[in-house]
Amino acid sequence: MDQTQILSGKVALITGGGGVLGSAMALNLAKNGAIVGVLGRTIDKLEVIVKKIQNEGGQAFALQADVLNQEDLEKAKHFILEKHNRLDILINAAGGNIPGAIVTPEQDFFNANPDDLQKVVNLNIMGTILPSKVFSAIFAKQKSGVIINISSPTADRPLTRVVGYSASKAAVDNFTRWLAVEMASKYGEGIRVNAISPGFFIGEQNRALLLTPEGNLTPRGESIISHTPMGRFGTPDDIQGTLLWMCSDASKFVTGIVVHIDGGFGAKSI
């Protein structure tokens, strides 16, 4: 089989498609033959990704929607079915953290902002549950489909400072396993639900935590690298092989797992 066409004819949707990891996933799936929808709140950012995919010979479309708004998601579902008549892959890449939900060394948990904590929890877990709820209805009718959620090393090893993020990513792992059982038990082996747990990647949301303005490691960045046996941060390219495996029939008997792509961070204790 021509590897560039391993996903030929498949229709994929990536929430958070304008982000660093989401956009890299979109480009990867398109290069491998999928028709890729990128969904997010900022249409200008999404259209840049779509244009890049199209310039490289791929097929893509942008959908403006909030993953926490079921009405938005239902409209996106209707658009996809009207235009493509099916959906084969859903990647829940929307998520992240906000400064107000971080407990810094100078602060304490007792003064954490409950509104900001709630926003982070909602974004990561409800921002995964709601799209899964809306779009897996297509999979149930088709008796086929792939859902890939985005977890984090903080789900297994809660990190200092990021209390809401750690808790919500642990919930993503739990939901991934729950939905895998629900889908396969009720709608057949053609529907699979798994998660990818990227290690530490430099993105817009964590750059200031890991790097100084000059590009050097912060104390937290140094701590993370010292606990990563491979001695570096991840790059979006590091995820792509696992992504293709999960999206294709190469993993057709795999469901309910979380694959860690972390340079060994989760394996190291001291």
Side-chain angles (χ1 to χ4, degrees):
M1 178 183 291
D2 182 350
Q3 284 296 106
T4 62
Q5 297 301 314
I6 194 172
L7 299 177
S8 180
K10 301 289 187 181
V11 180
L13 179 67
I14 303 177
T15 72
V20 173
L21 294 184
S23 60
M25 291 176 179
L27 287 161
N28 184 31
L29 296 188
K31 286 178 182 177
N32 284 275
I35 302 167
V36 181
V38 287
L39 182 148
R41 293 182 299 177
T42 308
I43 192 67
D44 292 346
K45 186 182 292 187
L46 301 175
E47 288 176 345
V48 169
I49 304 303
V50 168
K51 190 66 175 178
K52 186 172 182 179
I53 290 172
Q54 292 173 340
N55 287 343
E56 294 182 6
Q59 300 181 68
F61 56 95
L63 290 169
Q64 186 173 26
D66 184 340
V67 292
L68 297 176
N69 185 314
Q70 184 164 336
E71 184 178 349
D72 280 2
L73 296 172
E74 293 287 354
K75 289 178 181 178
K77 180 176 75 172
H78 179 74
F79 175 88
I80 291 169
L81 290 176
E82 282 287 307
K83 187 170 183 179
H84 299 288
N85 201 39
R86 64 180 298 107
L87 181 68
D88 301 286
I89 299 162
L90 169 66
I91 301 176
N92 286 310
N97 205 358
I98 59 176
I102 296 171
V103 179
T104 68
E106 297 77 27
Q107 298 171 324
D108 57 56
F109 176 59
F110 312 113
N111 301 118
N113 187 316
D115 292 335
D116 287 340
L117 289 172
Q118 187 68 66
K119 288 176 183 177
V120 168
V121 171
N122 284 345
L123 176 59
N124 288 296
I125 183 58
M126 291 308 297
T128 297
I129 290 176
L130 280 180
S132 297
K133 175 179 179 288
V134 170
F135 295 107
S136 66
I138 301 174
F139 299 158
K141 290 182 180 180
Q142 295 174 171
K143 304 296 184 184
S144 66
V146 171
I147 297 175
I148 299 174
N149 298 325
I150 304 300
S151 181
S152 164
T154 65
D156 293 326
R157 177 187 286 179
L159 300 185
T160 58
R161 306 190 191 182
V162 289
V163 53
Y165 184 79
S166 295
S168 56
K169 287 300 187 180
V172 168
D173 281 10
N174 183 282
F175 175 67
T176 297
R177 297 183 179 101
W178 182 90
L179 190 61
V181 174
E182 177 78 359
M183 290 291 105
S185 298
K186 291 185 178 178
Y187 306 105
E189 66 178 70
I191 303 175
R192 299 182 289 107
V193 186
N194 295 295
I196 290 174
S197 177
F200 292 89
F201 294 69
I202 301 297
E204 295 175 8
Q205 295 175 341
N206 67 358
R207 183 176 298 275
L209 281 174
L210 304 178
L211 296 176
T212 68
E214 296 75 30
N216 299 315
L217 292 173
T218 63
R220 188 172 180 84
E222 289 176 353
S223 178
I224 288 167
I225 293 299
S226 71
H227 282 83
T228 303
M230 289 190 175
R232 66 173 176 87
F233 294 119
T235 70
D237 286 346
D238 293 324
I239 294 177
Q240 307 312 324
T242 299
L243 179 69
L244 289 179
W245 173 69
M246 283 187 164
C247 289
S248 73
D249 286 344
S251 59
K252 65 182 179 181
F253 197 52
V254 177
T255 197
I257 70 166
V258 180
V259 176
H260 296 264
I261 307 173
D262 63 0
F265 180 88
K268 186 173 180 179
S269 57
I270 58 174

